[in-house]
Amino acid sequence: MKVYGIAGWKNSGKTGLVERLVTEFTTRGLRVSTIKHTHHRADLDRPGKDSYRHREAGAQEVMVVSGARWALLHELRDAPEPPLEDLLPRLSPVDLVLIEGYKSGSHPKIEVHRQETGQPLLADTDPGVRAIATDAPGTLATDRPVLHLDDTEAIADFVLRDLGIR
C-alpha cells in the first residue's frame, strides 16, 4: 500500500483537505483508506452502550458489527501508543492510505499551512514534507513546491506523481 500524509498545525485545514482528497481519489477509481491521529483522548464509544460496557469491564478489544459497517476498538490500557508502522498492516489492502496528523512521521507528506495561524513551516525542519498546500501561495519562502490549498485536483495530481501512481 502507498502511504501519504497530510500534516500541519492545529486549525490549518488538514481534515477538509483529507476529505476532499478522498473524494478526488475515489472519483478517479482508487481505493483509499485513512488514518487520523489525534493528541486528544479519542473515544468513539458512548457510556451506556453495550460495547462501552464491554471495554469498561476490561476487554482488550471490542468489535462492533452491523449490516453497514464494523469497527474494532482496541484499549491500550496504559501501553504506549503504537507507531504508525505497526498500525498500517491492520488495514485492509487499498491503493492509497492518507494519514492525517503524525506530523513527525518519516512518511512523505504535504504540509497544510494557513498564514493566519502564524505557525512556522514544518517543511523547514522536516525532509518528509514534499510540498506545501497553503491559502497564501505567494508569501512563502521555501524550496518545496507550493500549491493552493483550494486546488484539490492539483494536490491530488502531485501526490499521485510523487508516489508513482498513474
Side-chain angles (χ1 to χ4, degrees), residues 2 10-11 28-29 33 37 39 42 63 66 73 76 83 88 92 95 102 110 112 115 138 154 162:
K2 302 284 186 169
K10 183 179 178 182
N11 297 322
R28 295 183 188 196
S33 290
H37 184 261
H39 293 288
M63 184 175 287
S66 75
L73 302 173
L76 292 176
L88 287 167
S92 298
D95 300 310
Y102 282 102
I110 287 185
V112 180
Q115 189 162 353
D162 198 31

Side-chain angles (χ1 to χ4, degrees), residues 57-74:
Q60 187 69 35
E61 291 187 325
V62 175
M63 184 175 287
V64 180
V65 183
S66 75
R69 70 189 51 87
W70 65 269
L72 178 63
L73 302 173
H74 180 95

Side-chain angles (χ1 to χ4, degrees), residues 35 40 46 59 83 88 92 96 116 123 149 155:
I35 294 179
H40 307 289
R46 293 193 318 266
L88 287 167
S92 298
L96 176 61
E116 68 189 35
L149 182 55
I155 296 169

Side-chain angles (χ1 to χ4, degrees), residues 44-62:
L44 307 177
D45 214 352
R46 293 193 318 266
K49 292 295 183 184
D50 294 348
S51 51
Y52 184 91
R53 293 171 59 193
H54 295 181
R55 288 189 306 124
E56 288 297 304
Q60 187 69 35
E61 291 187 325
V62 175

Side-chain angles (χ1 to χ4, degrees), residues 33-160:
S33 290
T34 65
I35 294 179
K36 161 70 175 160
H37 184 261
T38 182
H39 293 288
H40 307 289
R41 182 178 160 89
D43 197 343
L44 307 177
D45 214 352
R46 293 193 318 266
K49 292 295 183 184
D50 294 348
S51 51
Y52 184 91
R53 293 171 59 193
H54 295 181
R55 288 189 306 124
E56 288 297 304
Q60 187 69 35
E61 291 187 325
V62 175
M63 184 175 287
V64 180
V65 183
S66 75
R69 70 189 51 87
W70 65 269
L72 178 63
L73 302 173
H74 180 95
E75 289 296 311
L76 292 176
R77 305 266 181 232
D78 296 322
E81 178 182 314
L84 178 60
E85 294 75 25
D86 291 354
L87 298 172
L88 287 167
R90 297 180 71 92
L91 292 174
S92 298
V94 292
D95 300 310
L96 176 61
V97 178
L98 289 176
I99 310 295
E100 181 181 341
Y102 282 102
K103 65 180 169 237
S104 61
S106 61
H107 56 282
K109 59 187 83 81
I110 287 185
E111 176 178 353
V112 180
H113 184 267
R114 287 197 189 273
Q115 189 162 353
E116 68 189 35
T117 65
Q119 295 289 351
L121 288 175
L122 299 172
D124 291 344
T125 58
D126 184 350
V129 173
R130 305 287 179 88
I132 300 164
T134 181
D135 59 348
T139 64
L140 299 180
T142 181
D143 61 347
R144 312 292 163 79
V146 177
L147 305 162
H148 198 287
L149 182 55
D150 294 332
D151 193 347
T152 306
E153 187 175 328
I155 296 169
D157 289 342
F158 180 89
V159 169
L160 295 180

